[in-house]
Amino acid sequence: LQASGHVRFVQGDRHGTARTAHYSVAVSELVLTGKPVVFDGPNRLAGDRIRYSTADGRLRVRHADSTLYRNALTDITGSSKAK
């Protein structure tokens, strides 16, 4: 599946935008390019390319630029890491 233009995705509290998106059903992965930005609650993650595994929620970013808040950090299972 491929989309271009102003692409948006939403999954719970996580949402993002990019110029292009490619979703691979075979590996359950969404690849965002073209000024991709992903928000997870108050956290913001941007870079040249963002790979989002819909299977485990993991985000991988090339040349990352991020804003993360300690109380909002979560691991891939969604449980809080902040104490």
Side-chain angles (χ1 to χ4, degrees), residues 1-64:
L1 215 76
Q2 193 153 342
S4 62
H6 181 73
V7 179
R8 278 191 70 172
F9 84 89
V10 177
Q11 188 174 40
D13 287 340
R14 185 174 281 175
H15 64 278
T17 61
R19 289 189 183 141
T20 61
H22 175 79
Y23 183 73
S24 172
V25 175
V27 294
S28 300
E29 184 175 75
L30 178 66
V31 178
L32 304 169
T33 57
K35 296 191 176 187
V37 180
V38 173
F39 295 90
D40 191 353
N43 297 319
R44 176 191 163 278
L45 188 61
D48 292 340
R49 180 180 69 189
I50 298 175
R51 294 170 59 187
Y52 173 41
S53 171
T54 58
D56 64 13
R58 186 175 305 216
L59 292 162
R60 289 177 287 194
V61 184
R62 183 172 62 189
H63 300 125

Side-chain angles (χ1 to χ4, degrees), residues 42-43 67-75 79-83:
N43 297 319
T67 304
L68 304 173
Y69 296 92
R70 178 171 161 58
N71 291 336
L73 293 178
T74 57
D75 67 13
S79 63
S80 177
K81 285 185 177 179
K83 301 216 189 254

